[in-house]
Amino acid sequence: EDKVVQSPLSLVVHEGDTVTLNCSYEVTNFRSLLWYKQEKKAPTFLFMLTSSGIEKKSGRLSSILDKKELFSILNITATQTGDSAIYLCAVRNFGNEKLTFGTGTRLTIIP
Amino acid sequence: NAGVTQTPKFQVLKTGQSMTLQCAQDMNHNSMYWYRQDPGMGLRLIYYSASEGTTDKGEVPNGYNVSRLNKREFSLRLESAAPSQTSVYFCASSDGRSSGNTIYFGEGSWLTVV
């Protein structure tokens, strides 16, 4: 059965700190790994990763994938209170298009 | 641009009642999904449909049925609601592109079973 595990489950840091969120996976026929941010309603897209070692970057957020070790990390530098959210990792299969999410990491930024 | 539309947004059911959550997308996507999200947890896949005419079970299918009525619509039915099915339900669809954001979510349906 496909599995996506995120760690830590929750994290509380002070504004300005840097955080690293982890996502490991075991899936058949890996196609892509996606990161989402969820505040009050539906998740919003952050990154999609398909190739190992290529960093995706958007402002203070960046992410990288390791297909050999089957994990990805999401980094947030100089955190702000607006970064407080649940961060979700998902992996997608080739063929059957199944999309499996992890449990999420709840990030809280203290002013 | 409607995107993914799901109804109702809020519903309160009594134990044993049945109801159907409706989902429609206007982006001509092949794949559609139903997830539930419980407090402090990620999205758990209930059922998905890779294309019109096919449906498959996800992680937590028990107590639910689905219908892929046509390419646009994918409904989720609770035949006999239980308090354990109190949750937020998200419908999503995907265009299967190989790059960029390929998954689009509805706004969620908050369901309470009493």
Side-chain angles (χ1 to χ4, degrees), chain B residues 43-61:
Chain B
L43 298 170
R44 291 189 291 169
L45 184 63
I46 305 172
Y47 272 92
Y48 66 105
S49 170
S51 61
E52 185 180 352
T54 68
T55 60
D56 285 287
K57 294 179 181 180
E59 303 167 63
V60 288

Side-chain angles (χ1 to χ4, degrees), chain B residues 5-102:
Chain B
T5 304
Q6 57 180 109
T7 57
K9 284 196 171 32
F10 300 96
Q11 183 74 48
V12 179
L13 284 178
K14 292 184 179 176
T15 297
Q17 285 186 317
S18 62
M19 77 158 296
T20 300
L21 297 173
Q22 307 284 356
C23 177
Q25 50 90 9
D26 60 3
M27 296 172 281
N28 202 36
H29 289 172
N30 283 321
S31 303
M32 297 185 74
Y33 309 84
W34 275 107
Y35 293 91
R36 61 176 288 173
Q37 185 173 34
D38 302 305
M41 298 188 73
L43 298 170
R44 291 189 291 169
L45 184 63
I46 305 172
Y47 272 92
Y48 66 105
S49 170
S51 61
E52 185 180 352
T54 68
T55 60
D56 285 287
K57 294 179 181 180
E59 303 167 63
V60 288
N62 291 345
Y64 304 95
N65 284 306
V66 290
S67 295
R68 183 76 184 266
L69 304 166
N70 47 55
K71 194 170 186 181
R72 287 188 67 245
E73 298 171 288
F74 189 39
S75 62
L76 179 72
R77 183 158 178 85
L78 288 70
E79 291 290 353
S80 178
S84 60
Q85 293 178 303
T86 294
S87 191
V88 182
Y89 291 84
F90 287 99
C91 178
S93 72
S94 173
D95 65 1
R97 282 185 293 129
S98 60
S99 63
N101 181 25
T102 63

Side-chain angles (χ1 to χ4, degrees), chain A residues 1-2 31-32 34 36 38 40-45 48 50 56 86 88 92 95-104 106, chain B residues 31 33 35 37 40-43 45 48 50 57-59 90 94-107 110:
Chain A
E1 188 173 315
D2 298 336
R31 177 175 178 173
S32 57
L34 301 101
Y36 285 85
Q38 185 180 27
K40 293 204 182 339
K41 288 192 175 178
T44 55
F45 174 76
M48 185 172 93
T50 55
K56 293 275 182 98
I86 297 174
L88 297 164
R92 190 166 180 183
N96 65 12
E97 297 302 316
K98 190 176 174 188
L99 183 64
T100 304
F101 280 82
T103 52
R106 180 178 291 277
Chain B
S31 303
Y33 309 84
Y35 293 91
Q37 185 173 34
M41 298 188 73
L43 298 170
L45 184 63
Y48 66 105
K57 294 179 181 180
E59 303 167 63
F90 287 99
S94 173
D95 65 1
R97 282 185 293 129
S98 60
S99 63
N101 181 25
T102 63
I103 294 104
Y104 300 81
F105 287 89
E107 292 196 347
W110 275 253

